Amino acid sequence: MSMNRSKFNVSVTPFLLAITLAPFAQALAQNDALPLKPVQAIRPVATAVTADRVEVHAQREGEEGKADLKVNTTRIGKGLMELRDIPQSLTVITERLLDDRNLETLKEALKQSAGVSFQAAEGSEEDIRIRGFSLQSTGDIFIDGMRDPAFYERDSFNWDRLEVLRGSASMLFGRGSTGGAVNQVSKIPLSFSRRSADLTVGSGNYRRLTADINLVTARDQALRLNVMRTLGDRDGLKTDKAGAALSYALGIGTANEWILNAYALENDNGIHYGLPWLTPGIVKGGNRLWPTNPKNYYGASSDLNQTGTRQASVLHIHRMDGGAEWRSALRIAQYNRDQRASAIRFAAANLQPDDSNVSADNFSPATVLTRGNNVKIMDMKNTYFQSDYSANQSWWGLKHKVQAGVDLAVEDFEARNASAAAAKPTTRVGTPNDGLGLDEASRVLSPARRFDAKALGAYAQNLLSLSQDWKLLGGLRFDQFDGDYRNLTPATGNAASNPCTVKPNENIGRNDALWSKRGGLLYQPNDHSSWHLSYGTSFNTSGDTYQYDAGNVNTPPESSRNIELGGKFEHFEGRLSTRFALFHTTKYNERNRDADTVNACNYVLSGKRHAAGLEFDAAGRISERWELYFSYAFIPQAKVDESSGAQGTEPVGSRPGLTPRHSASLWSTYKVTSDLRLGGGLTYRSSDRPVGLAATSPIEAPEFTTADAMAEYSSGNWIYKINLINLADRHYADLLYRGHYVPGKPRTIQFSASFNF
């Protein structure tokens, strides 16, 4: 095992990134027109209805394919809308970018969107932060606009694209969405045949096979099948997952279109729980990251992270005269999670070779590590229904784009305990992947807690054209959330006397009803530019994590608001788009424990925090051969403004954790010849801190930059590609937590072959 850091330590600041982008700005200034046809926006397919058939005058939604880094429309704003008509920051990660960089998980994909950070948490939760505000994996991640809760590792094999909406968005999605929302857009049946298969092999015994088959079965019917199988073993950290998505569309392009879908994903992976922060030495100094090879894995051989989902859904689209549309969708889903992980910690001083606490001065291959027992087992069964109406109307001499809808949710959550197991064997820094573990199969499972939730939401929104250049957006939504919690674990030991503990078999619950608002003013002086000023609100209930205690069950929802000034612009006849946003997001009644009372279960909405900054995105083509994707976020202002004292979540006046000042992602490709395409990219994040540290804590993750490269060669129906990831083999803190960090992916090489048939 190598104990030395890589000599190649890239340190790129946002100013260097700005220099890197200088040629792009020059190209924008000097090239008014290039010999390329503009990319056509996806328009609603219905413009005229004849009997049961709708005449198609443009591409059907989803048929832009994966040949570009930009898109023009989205449904994340409820109803099919041009991106320029959404007065809020929206980043779209297309299938082209996913394929170019071999991005297979949600976390990997979201690293392409600046302003996004990740908490290591206590396991594999998708604990995502946008602008420093949490995106709950139980409420802020969606599939095709419908909630996709639960804790499981999501895979990209069935994504047409990934949409990241920033800022308060409860008017669109209901509870949650303080930092924004992430929408996974599924691949749907297309009106033309397409068949492809992709095989990727690489470092860590990595093997991934995917196939995408679209068959036109009749004039207005098509079937699409996407499958995935992935295996790997990176020095003991295994990957073993499989997925399949089958969808069938009937009545494509007619007045009544149906899409039936079945989706399954099963993960049987290992889990990297993280590495404890290292104390810098007096002699050696250094930061708090381990000076080890980033591929080293210290979990027990018996550790596992089995997660997955099975879903069935039906979508009905009813198209009417004038482009009006009524979309209704029903989804039934099951989720499972069985996590047995090891929290790695430094053993006590008396167990170390020199009988001393571990620091950078005495850290060595002989340093002793302990392994914890971290178990989380839970299942969910959910049913979701939503129905949305959208139409263009002319009332009182003005044009209106109206949208309205309702959504229902029934969620059944259950967590289980596992019987105690023997302590896991210790290991040493010099012996990663030592093959030692426990007999996890011998543990006995028992019920722990249940949470049943019912939610109802109704909204209405109107985009009013005040004149040729000005539009006004207004939206209002009402939500009612009813949660019921039952503790199924007998109270023993300290829990029996803890005033926060819910008594065994006792039911507690609450009902919350709240209004959410959204407004925006748009100025669009031409077809190439759109300016916006917007305001939106959101709320988070105490039951967002599917658990109550004796204190938070009596606490009303938290609230937040987002104010944003921004613009979206098209260049080179629509081939390249850019956007910017100045934002100020505030959570103004954050839930804290009350420091002024003896009862630690007395929660109050006494907290307040804010973040303000600038975002910039660019995506598309600079020239016929040159493609670009760039995302940058600068958050100079982030502060905990109010709290309830010592027991507040973070100290007043501090900068909240997981809010890096600078973050950026750059990816660019150039077509050298008709057959050869080269690409490269950078990912940068400035120094950052975990959430919930004391004001005096010295823990900080240093800034990092990673570099990737790609080469692709086409030959007939075959495409061959090589990806080099983290070229410098940089050891950096990717996911952060108070007690540990999870390092980013080590240097990785992957070879891919794609066959279109």
Side-chain angles (χ1 to χ4, degrees):
M1 180 191 70
S2 172
M3 293 294 296
N4 297 319
R5 288 180 190 268
S6 170
K7 300 293 185 183
F8 182 47
N9 187 341
V10 184
S11 180
V12 177
T13 68
F15 303 104
L16 182 55
L17 286 172
I19 295 173
T20 303
L21 289 173
F24 305 159
Q26 183 178 4
L28 288 173
Q30 295 179 353
N31 292 276
D32 294 328
L34 292 172
L36 280 176
K37 294 181 179 180
V39 177
Q40 297 296 320
I42 307 175
R43 306 290 182 179
V45 297
T47 57
V49 177
T50 304
D52 290 334
R53 183 143 193 99
V54 175
E55 296 183 22
V56 179
H57 297 278
Q59 288 176 303
R60 180 171 178 267
E61 182 187 358
E63 291 186 3
E64 277 185 312
K66 58 180 181 181
D68 212 335
L69 294 175
K70 70 179 287 282
V71 296
N72 302 287
T73 62
T74 178
R75 285 194 179 275
I76 201 169
K78 297 292 185 183
L80 186 65
M81 297 184 70
E82 300 280 347
L83 265 63
R84 69 197 308 264
D85 284 342
I86 296 179
Q88 202 164 338
S89 296
L90 177 65
T91 299
V92 180
I93 300 166
T94 65
E95 189 181 6
R96 177 61 169 264
L97 185 60
L98 294 170
D99 287 352
D100 273 1
R101 304 196 75 166
N102 283 1
L103 307 173
E104 67 172 80
T105 68
L106 182 67
K107 286 190 178 77
E108 289 176 349
L110 287 176
K111 291 174 188 175
Q112 315 312 308
S113 181
V116 179
S117 55
F118 306 91
Q119 179 162 269
E122 297 176 347
S124 62
E125 290 95 333
E126 306 280 21
D127 197 334
I128 304 160
R129 305 295 167 109
I130 296 182
R131 298 174 174 174
F133 295 91
S134 176
L135 254 69
Q136 294 286 345
S137 57
T138 55
D140 299 330
I141 301 176
F142 300 82
I143 295 180
D144 302 324
M146 299 180 74
R147 202 172 297 271
D148 181 41
F151 306 108
Y152 75 101
E153 188 172 72
R154 295 159 173 89
D155 193 280
S156 65
F157 79 96
N158 193 46
W159 294 349
D160 175 76
R161 56 190 169 186
L162 189 70
E163 301 173 325
V164 184
L165 183 71
R166 294 173 171 84
S168 303
S170 285
M171 203 294 295
L172 297 175
F173 302 109
R175 65 189 191 274
S177 305
T178 299
V182 174
N183 186 41
Q184 307 159 82
V185 180
S186 302
K187 297 176 180 177
I188 61 173
L190 306 173
S191 57
F192 56 89
S193 294
R194 187 173 91 177
R195 298 178 295 274
S196 65
D198 301 78
L199 175 65
T200 302
V201 297
S203 306
N205 200 25
Y206 179 85
R207 294 149 288 162
R208 180 176 172 90
L209 175 65
T210 61
D212 183 353
I213 299 173
N214 189 87
L215 299 175
V216 177
T217 59
R219 180 187 178 190
D220 56 8
Q221 299 180 27
L223 178 146
R224 190 165 187 178
L225 173 66
N226 279 270
V227 295
M228 175 275 299
R229 185 76 171 97
T230 305
L231 296 168
D233 189 342
R234 196 189 74 199
D235 299 281
L237 181 59
K238 75 168 186 173
T239 300
D240 185 352
K241 57 183 177 179
L246 178 65
S247 55
Y248 193 79
L250 302 92
I252 297 175
T254 68
N256 287 284
E257 181 173 351
W258 295 84
I259 300 179
L260 311 176
N261 181 71
Y263 177 84
L265 175 65
E266 292 296 334
N267 300 299
D268 186 7
N269 302 329
I271 177 170
H272 198 315
Y273 203 86
L275 304 175
W277 299 99
L278 180 64
T279 301
I282 298 175
V283 177
K284 293 184 178 180
N287 58 42
R288 293 184 169 269
L289 306 189
W290 291 24
T292 58
N293 194 316
K295 72 177 183 178
N296 288 351
Y297 171 68
Y298 296 93
S301 61
S302 55
D303 288 355
L304 57 90
N305 187 28
Q306 296 175 342
T307 65
T309 181
R310 293 153 300 284
Q311 304 180 8
S313 63
V314 57
L315 168 67
H316 176 238
I317 307 171
H318 178 58
R319 302 184 176 97
M320 294 161 275
D321 289 316
E325 184 178 271
W326 200 308
R327 297 171 65 95
S328 299
L330 173 69
R331 175 180 295 145
I332 300 174
Q334 294 183 345
Y335 303 89
N336 64 279
R337 178 192 191 189
D338 188 346
Q339 173 194 297
R340 319 289 176 92
S342 298
I344 305 300
R345 294 293 184 264
F346 295 120
N350 64 326
L351 298 177
Q352 300 297 342
D354 59 357
D355 294 323
S356 300
N357 291 321
V358 177
S359 72
D361 287 343
N362 62 358
F363 183 86
S364 74
T367 298
V368 180
L369 307 173
T370 61
R371 293 170 165 136
N373 272 305
N374 307 88
V375 178
K376 290 189 176 182
I377 305 171
M378 53 194 66
D379 299 289
M380 292 186 72
K381 296 179 181 179
N382 300 341
T383 301
Y384 298 103
F385 173 79
Q386 67 181 39
S387 186
D388 301 285
Y389 172 81
S390 61
N392 295 313
Q393 302 288 351
S394 294
W395 297 329
W396 311 297
L398 298 174
K399 295 180 180 179
H400 304 254
K401 185 175 180 63
V402 296
Q403 296 164 0
V406 296
D407 50 69
L408 305 169
V410 178
E411 301 170 337
D412 184 359
F413 171 93
E414 180 174 337
R416 287 172 287 167
N417 291 327
S419 59
K424 292 179 182 176
T426 61
T427 187
R428 295 178 183 271
V429 169
T431 56
N433 188 27
D434 60 10
L436 301 178
L438 297 177
D439 180 14
E440 289 287 353
S442 65
R443 295 201 189 198
V444 178
L445 304 185
S446 59
R449 68 182 193 271
R450 292 196 59 161
F451 192 98
D452 298 318
K454 298 178 178 62
L456 167 66
Y459 77 94
Q461 177 178 277
N462 184 19
L463 180 63
L464 170 64
S465 296
L466 298 172
S467 67
Q468 184 176 351
D469 299 338
W470 292 90
K471 295 178 180 178
L472 181 65
L473 178 75
L476 190 64
R477 177 186 173 102
F478 175 77
D479 278 282
Q480 183 165 328
F481 179 80
D482 186 4
D484 183 79
Y485 173 76
R486 177 185 290 249
N487 177 25
L488 303 176
T489 304
T492 58
N494 293 333
S497 58
N498 188 338
C500 295
T501 301
V502 180
K503 296 179 181 178
N505 292 315
E506 179 184 5
N507 272 50
I508 61 174
R510 63 173 292 114
N511 185 291
D512 292 302
L514 211 67
W515 292 91
S516 301
K517 302 174 285 294
R518 186 189 193 206
L521 180 65
L522 296 105
Y523 174 59
Q524 299 172 339
N526 52 55
D527 292 337
H528 310 298
S529 60
S530 177
W531 300 80
H532 69 263
L533 176 65
S534 65
Y535 173 89
T537 67
S538 66
F539 69 95
N540 296 87
T541 71
S542 300
D544 282 356
T545 57
Y546 300 117
Q547 184 171 351
Y548 289 132
D549 63 32
N552 65 21
V553 72
N554 298 314
T555 310
E558 301 173 304
S559 300
S560 70
R561 59 174 173 255
N562 181 70
I563 301 172
E564 183 173 303
L565 172 67
K568 301 179 178 71
F569 312 97
E570 297 292 323
H571 313 275
F572 305 147
E573 298 181 319
R575 289 180 301 276
L576 177 75
S577 66
T578 59
R579 76 158 187 90
F580 85 94
L582 297 168
F583 66 88
H584 191 288
T585 304
T586 305
K587 179 179 278 192
Y588 50 88
N589 59 344
E590 189 172 34
R591 190 180 304 113
N592 288 173
R593 293 182 187 271
D594 188 1
D596 296 328
T597 62
V598 177
N599 184 359
C601 288
N602 184 23
Y603 289 82
V604 291
L605 298 179
S606 62
K608 180 181 178 182
R609 66 177 63 204
H610 77 273
L614 165 70
E615 296 166 342
F616 175 81
D617 283 357
R621 294 180 181 271
I622 298 292
S623 70
E624 184 176 1
R625 296 176 179 269
W626 186 8
E627 285 186 289
L628 168 74
Y629 173 89
F630 178 66
S631 182
Y632 169 68
F634 174 44
I635 309 178
Q637 291 293 325
K639 183 179 178 181
V640 177
D641 301 298
E642 298 174 7
S643 186
S644 57
Q647 298 189 54
T649 54
E650 290 180 282
V652 172
S654 66
R655 183 181 180 90
L658 293 173
T659 314
R661 281 181 169 80
H662 301 277
S663 57
S665 176
L666 169 67
W667 180 254
S668 185
T669 64
Y670 189 81
K671 200 166 187 178
V672 180
T673 68
S674 60
D675 300 324
L676 178 63
R677 192 165 62 100
L678 302 179
L682 299 172
T683 301
Y684 170 79
R685 193 186 307 157
S686 61
S687 59
D688 199 7
R689 286 163 54 89
V691 171
L693 292 177
T696 57
S697 174
I699 292 176
E700 182 178 77
E703 70 171 8
F704 69 86
T705 302
T706 60
D708 302 339
M710 181 271 289
E712 180 186 87
Y713 180 76
S714 302
S715 177
N717 292 338
W718 288 90
I719 300 176
Y720 304 97
K721 181 162 64 81
I722 181 172
N723 286 83
L724 298 173
I725 302 166
N726 191 4
L727 291 170
D729 203 24
R730 181 77 182 273
H731 185 127
Y732 63 95
D734 189 17
L735 319 180
L736 311 182
Y737 199 62
R738 294 188 298 272
H740 56 263
Y741 70 95
V742 178
K745 183 181 290 187
R747 181 189 293 123
T748 301
I749 182 171
Q750 294 179 339
F751 301 91
S752 303
S754 303
F755 181 59
N756 299 299
F757 57 97

